[in-house]
Amino acid sequence: MSNASIDNGTSDAKAVNAKGIDTRLWSNKARHLSPYVPGEQPQHENLCKLNTNENPFPPSSKVGEAINAVLAQQADELRLYPAPESDDLRAALAHLHGIDSNQVFVGNGSDEVLALVFASFFMKEQPLLAPDISYSFYPVYAQTFGVDLVQIPLEKDFSVNPDAYSQPCSGIIIANPNAPTGLLMSLADIRKLALKHSDAVIVIDEAYIDFARADEMSTEKEVSAVSLINEFDNILVTQTFSKSRSLAGLRVGMAFANASLIEALTRMKNSFNSYPLDKLAQAGATASVLDAPYFEKICQQVIDLREALTTELTSLGYQVLPSDANFVFARPKDGDASAVASALREQGIIVRHFNQPRIQEYLRITVGTQAQHERLIDALKAL
Amino acid sequence: MSNASIDNGTSDAKAVNAKGIDTRLWSNKARHLSPYVPGEQPQHENLCKLNTNENPFPPSSKVGEAINAVLAQQADELRLYPAPESDDLRAALAHLHGIDSNQVFVGNGSDEVLALVFASFFMKEQPLLAPDISYSFYPVYAQTFGVDLVQIPLEKDFSVNPDAYSQPCSGIIIANPNAPTGLLMSLADIRKLALKHSDAVIVIDEAYIDFARADEMSTEKEVSAVSLINEFDNILVTQTFSKSRSLAGLRVGMAFANASLIEALTRMKNSFNSYPLDKLAQAGATASVLDAPYFEKICQQVIDLREALTTELTSLGYQVLPSDANFVFARPKDGDASAVASALREQGIIVRHFNQPRIQEYLRITVGTQAQHERLIDALKAL
């Protein structure tokens, strides 16, 4: 990406990188980045978009109503700065989880929250540990903030083995359920990590946790590590409105932890950008939190659809990992996932294929509507 | 703020800072920040809030209409991720300025844009130069990104002297009109800086430029440095929707520069947070850009109010700097600006006083409505 011959900020009229872009005036930081590449967002009609883990159901109608109310009653107030710390939204989230507002942080999507987490807790001499297969933004943040990231291989069955996280570290970050596998780690294993690394910050990225359910055989009733933050001062949990709350378009994410970790995030935020959440996003997100019945209903519907999709794919010979997320990770019988992805694309069905070691034989398929599943299964049968 | 005895990421159960906050698990970066402190946003009724340079007029009615249309016709689409590069908004801004879309960057308020600018262009060995009196977020960004900031004193009359910017540097950042002085620098002086420092990025932060007018005596018709970006590959201009477009509550800012500088910002953004602008903010901001007549009308009204306020304050014995912004910088006859600010506060009128060298005898007063000005002037007369 960067031109290896350019290594400092001095002038070089010929400083162009491999893409032919003039990087003469860029910082080395900018030259050496490998930015995150989100799943594509093609705009054409009649596409069956099962590649970016968006919710197939619309957000709560209360969201639009709350935003309409702001526009109708206080449109004038858009001229004023929003509440910098999103107090109402934080209070609603605190109430939902039975914690204090000072244990809640919100930001412009959980991606922004994660960026601030890296700057606040992982810019240290010791490395950060993360699974080798996980959310692909983690290595990007590590590069952005100069964090040494050590990737710990998942087990052969793609599960996270807490005993593999034994080396001294500044922190550990684990997506739970993990992406793109969909596998859930138990709270018992998370406790084990937090106890073993009491001087490190254990970040549990729960983007998909609302689609997870406790194993019926387990004594644990909870699946979210938010239930651990009063017990462990080194556990920080991130979540998002983009998946279970159907609000990817509104850009709201959050973190839960003890007050001193939240204070670090707040200070970091106020050294980047004081007002990350606009007035309408704050109002809409708050309304979503307050509409618990709708939230629970659509989460259950997504779970039911996921289980049905798993059954159908299995009956077509796919190996499907047991998912606790709103996607499934599935391997076609012959392992040629790339060919399946291409063939589906020709039918206007977009799924995600990761061309990287260990997982190149799998497809990540977002849970969609019943109709989208029928279209997908029909297309797979016809291949 | 930080506890001097703690200098690395190792364990220290007693690690608490001066405020009694446990910083044991924080990065040094987090420990050593001095976050930006925005002007206060008190919420009580009947307050005359002239402290944060918000526009006294509401945004264009097209903004609410556009957002309502999204909610009415595509509420379902809030479940989907927004356009990551805000294509429609960038196209509208490009059209407005007669430039290409690849010369336009947008972000979550100009504060976020500025943060990315610091990371992209100023993280170099040579220092960044900025006026000693300017936007107080600049030193915060410098600290956040480890940038060596050298402050160049303004002249005695608070003007920027381009000849004072003579040392080698990674870049120069100047708010124009400057805050909190309101003084405008000429394009001739900006050209001089860009020519002298062809290997540095010259950032002109035009948060207030839409309230500036070319001097009738000048041969220059333009005041905005956007008119220079095709001529100079090292000039980058930031602007915001928070002031002239009455949309502080929507969080939209932008940068204009040649395509290679914009590419650096885009890559940096995609290494922090890929989707900083939500769907509603994109729609509302685009509608604002398209409503040129309303925009021009309220800018002119603010300018007229500013000139009237300047006349009234002058007649009360205040020394008022010639402002090209939506605020005035004014010194009471006895120089005891702090006492005036306190007395006004008791009347429910909030203005901004900066308790720092050179400017502690001045008040920054945001241009308000006619009624707010009358209330202010009455209160000042009664002091």
Side-chain angles (χ1 to χ4, degrees):
Chain A
M1 209 54 80
S2 62
N3 183 328
S5 70
I6 306 159
D7 247 329
N8 56 42
T10 59
S11 167
D12 183 344
K14 288 182 200 140
V16 290
N17 71 7
K19 281 188 175 166
I21 296 162
D22 178 0
T23 65
R24 184 176 67 93
L25 296 166
W26 297 21
S27 66
N28 278 333
K29 178 64 80 184
R31 285 177 183 155
H32 292 110
L33 293 172
S34 303
Y36 176 69
V37 181
E40 59 185 325
Q41 300 282 2
Q43 295 296 318
H44 87 84
E45 297 279 320
N46 199 25
L47 208 64
C48 185
K49 208 177 149 302
L50 301 175
N51 66 325
T52 49
N53 297 346
E54 289 141 334
N55 200 306
F57 302 109
S60 161
S61 59
K62 307 286 184 199
V63 172
E65 287 169 21
I67 294 170
N68 275 325
V70 173
L71 291 172
Q73 295 154 27
Q74 325 161 36
D76 179 57
E77 289 197 12
L78 282 182
R79 71 183 182 82
L80 303 177
Y81 284 90
E85 307 305 341
S86 303
D87 302 315
D88 291 350
L89 175 56
R90 284 170 50 241
L93 287 166
H95 185 258
L96 178 71
H97 291 286
I99 56 180
D100 287 339
S101 279
N102 67 5
Q103 296 177 291
V104 182
F105 177 83
V106 299
N108 183 254
S110 64
D111 283 347
E112 188 195 55
V113 175
L114 287 167
L116 299 172
V117 163
F118 270 68
S120 299
F121 308 116
F122 301 150
M123 290 178 77
K124 295 182 185 170
E125 281 183 29
Q126 289 174 326
L128 169 69
L129 312 183
D132 61 338
I133 295 166
S134 192
Y135 185 31
S136 55
F137 217 137
Y138 301 155
V140 177
Y141 294 129
Q143 195 180 42
T144 304
F145 295 104
V147 169
D148 179 18
L149 174 66
V150 172
Q151 296 187 319
I152 309 291
L154 292 178
E155 299 294 289
K156 239 183 149 178
D157 64 358
F158 295 128
S159 65
V160 175
N161 175 5
D163 296 326
Y165 292 73
S166 54
Q167 72 182 90
C169 59
S170 67
I172 298 172
I173 185 164
I174 290 178
N176 194 47
N178 197 13
T181 65
L183 297 184
L184 184 71
M185 189 179 183
S186 71
L187 289 190
D189 282 350
I190 293 171
R191 283 170 194 273
K192 202 185 261 193
L193 287 177
L195 277 172
K196 183 190 290 204
H197 297 279
S198 61
D199 294 332
V201 179
I202 313 300
V203 175
I204 308 298
D205 177 354
E206 296 190 339
Y208 301 103
I209 196 71
D210 298 319
F211 306 113
R213 290 293 177 262
D215 193 323
E216 281 168 27
M217 312 292 285
S218 163
T219 54
E220 298 262 20
K221 289 274 181 301
E222 293 281 348
V223 289
S224 168
V226 176
S227 60
L228 303 180
I229 65 168
N230 282 321
E231 186 181 345
F232 293 93
D233 72 355
N234 61 330
I235 289 183
L236 184 142
V237 180
T238 60
Q239 292 186 358
T240 177
F241 281 68
S242 297
K243 313 296 183 184
S244 55
R245 295 190 179 276
S246 308
L247 287 171
L250 210 57
R251 314 308 310 128
V252 185
M254 58 277 204
F256 305 102
N258 83 71
S260 93
L261 297 189
I262 296 301
E263 172 74 9
L265 285 179
T266 304
R267 293 172 61 81
M268 193 60 73
K269 174 197 82 119
N270 287 327
S271 303
F272 276 91
N273 183 17
S274 310
Y275 302 96
L277 253 68
D278 70 57
K279 204 173 286 253
L280 304 179
Q282 290 187 34
T286 305
S288 169
V289 174
L290 297 179
D291 190 0
Y294 181 79
F295 170 71
E296 284 154 23
K297 185 181 79 176
I298 64 169
C299 286
Q300 190 58 50
Q301 285 178 338
V302 168
I303 290 169
D304 294 344
L305 282 161
R306 177 187 72 209
E307 298 308 315
L309 178 61
T310 300
T311 302
E312 297 214 67
L313 288 169
T314 306
S315 75
L316 287 180
Y318 279 72
Q319 179 207 345
V320 186
L321 269 59
S323 172
D324 269 296
N326 71 334
F327 54 82
V328 296
F329 204 51
R331 181 185 178 281
K333 228 183 298 188
D334 66 358
D336 195 352
S338 173
V340 176
S342 301
L344 287 175
R345 173 176 294 267
E346 280 172 29
Q347 311 287 318
I349 300 169
I350 316 286
V351 299
R352 192 109 193 235
H353 175 246
F354 298 87
N355 192 16
Q356 68 182 72
R358 300 190 67 186
I359 58 171
Q360 72 273 57
E361 296 191 350
Y362 288 78
L363 295 172
R364 193 192 68 186
I365 305 173
T366 302
V367 172
T369 59
Q370 183 64 39
Q372 287 176 315
H373 289 185
E374 285 166 15
R375 187 169 156 193
L376 170 73
I377 297 296
D378 285 349
L380 290 176
K381 282 181 179 163
L383 286 188
Chain B
M1 207 53 86
S2 63
N3 183 329
S5 71
I6 308 161
D7 250 329
N8 56 43
T10 60
S11 166
D12 182 343
K14 288 183 198 138
V16 291
N17 72 4
K19 281 187 173 166
I21 296 162
D22 178 0
T23 65
R24 184 177 67 92
L25 296 166
W26 297 20
S27 66
N28 279 334
K29 179 63 80 183
R31 286 177 182 154
H32 293 109
L33 291 173
S34 303
Y36 177 69
V37 180
E40 58 184 329
Q41 301 281 4
Q43 293 297 319
H44 87 83
E45 296 279 320
N46 200 27
L47 207 65
C48 185
K49 208 175 149 301
L50 302 175
N51 67 324
T52 47
N53 298 343
E54 288 141 335
N55 199 307
F57 301 110
S60 160
S61 59
K62 307 286 184 199
V63 172
E65 286 168 21
I67 295 171
N68 274 325
V70 173
L71 291 173
Q73 295 153 26
Q74 323 163 35
D76 179 56
E77 290 198 11
L78 283 181
R79 73 183 180 83
L80 302 178
Y81 283 91
E85 308 304 342
S86 302
D87 301 315
D88 291 349
L89 175 55
R90 285 169 51 241
L93 287 165
H95 185 257
L96 178 73
H97 291 286
I99 56 181
D100 287 340
S101 279
N102 66 5
Q103 296 176 293
V104 182
F105 178 83
V106 300
N108 183 254
S110 63
D111 284 347
E112 188 194 56
V113 175
L114 287 166
L116 299 172
V117 163
F118 270 68
S120 299
F121 308 116
F122 301 151
M123 289 179 78
K124 295 182 185 170
E125 280 184 28
Q126 289 175 325
L128 169 69
L129 311 182
D132 61 337
I133 296 165
S134 193
Y135 184 32
S136 55
F137 217 136
Y138 302 154
V140 177
Y141 294 128
Q143 197 179 40
T144 304
F145 296 104
V147 169
D148 179 19
L149 174 66
V150 172
Q151 295 187 319
I152 308 292
L154 292 178
E155 299 294 288
K156 235 179 153 181
D157 65 358
F158 296 128
S159 65
V160 175
N161 175 5
D163 296 326
Y165 292 73
S166 52
Q167 70 183 91
C169 58
S170 67
I172 298 172
I173 185 164
I174 289 177
N176 194 45
N178 197 12
T181 66
L183 298 183
L184 185 71
M185 189 179 185
S186 70
L187 288 191
D189 282 351
I190 293 171
R191 283 170 195 273
K192 202 185 262 192
L193 288 176
L195 277 172
K196 184 189 289 203
H197 297 279
S198 61
D199 294 331
V201 178
I202 313 300
V203 175
I204 309 298
D205 176 355
E206 295 189 339
Y208 302 103
I209 196 70
D210 298 319
F211 306 112
R213 290 292 177 262
D215 193 324
E216 281 169 26
M217 313 291 283
S218 162
T219 53
E220 299 262 21
K221 289 276 182 297
E222 293 281 350
V223 289
S224 167
V226 175
S227 61
L228 304 180
I229 65 167
N230 283 321
E231 188 180 344
F232 293 94
D233 72 354
N234 61 331
I235 288 182
L236 182 142
V237 181
T238 60
Q239 293 186 357
T240 176
F241 281 68
S242 298
K243 313 298 183 184
S244 56
R245 295 191 179 275
S246 308
L247 287 172
L250 211 57
R251 316 307 309 127
V252 186
M254 60 277 206
F256 304 102
N258 83 72
S260 93
L261 297 188
I262 296 301
E263 172 73 9
L265 286 180
T266 304
R267 293 172 61 81
M268 193 60 74
K269 176 198 80 121
N270 287 327
S271 303
F272 276 92
N273 184 17
S274 310
Y275 302 95
L277 253 69
D278 68 58
K279 203 171 284 252
L280 304 178
Q282 291 187 33
T286 305
S288 170
V289 173
L290 296 179
D291 190 0
Y294 180 80
F295 170 71
E296 283 155 22
K297 185 180 81 176
I298 65 168
C299 286
Q300 190 57 50
Q301 286 177 337
V302 169
I303 291 170
D304 294 344
L305 282 161
R306 176 185 74 207
E307 297 307 315
L309 178 62
T310 301
T311 303
E312 297 214 66
L313 288 169
T314 305
S315 75
L316 288 179
Y318 279 71
Q319 180 206 342
V320 186
L321 268 60
S323 172
D324 269 295
N326 72 334
F327 55 83
V328 297
F329 205 50
R331 181 185 179 281
K333 228 183 300 188
D334 66 358
D336 195 352
S338 172
V340 175
S342 300
L344 287 175
R345 172 175 294 266
E346 280 171 28
Q347 311 287 317
I349 300 169
I350 316 286
V351 299
R352 190 108 193 237
H353 176 247
F354 297 88
N355 192 17
Q356 69 182 72
R358 299 189 68 186
I359 58 171
Q360 71 273 59
E361 297 190 349
Y362 288 78
L363 296 171
R364 193 193 68 186
I365 306 172
T366 302
V367 173
T369 60
Q370 183 64 38
Q372 287 177 314
H373 287 183
E374 284 166 15
R375 187 168 156 194
L376 170 72
I377 296 296
D378 286 349
L380 289 176
K381 280 180 180 162
L383 286 187

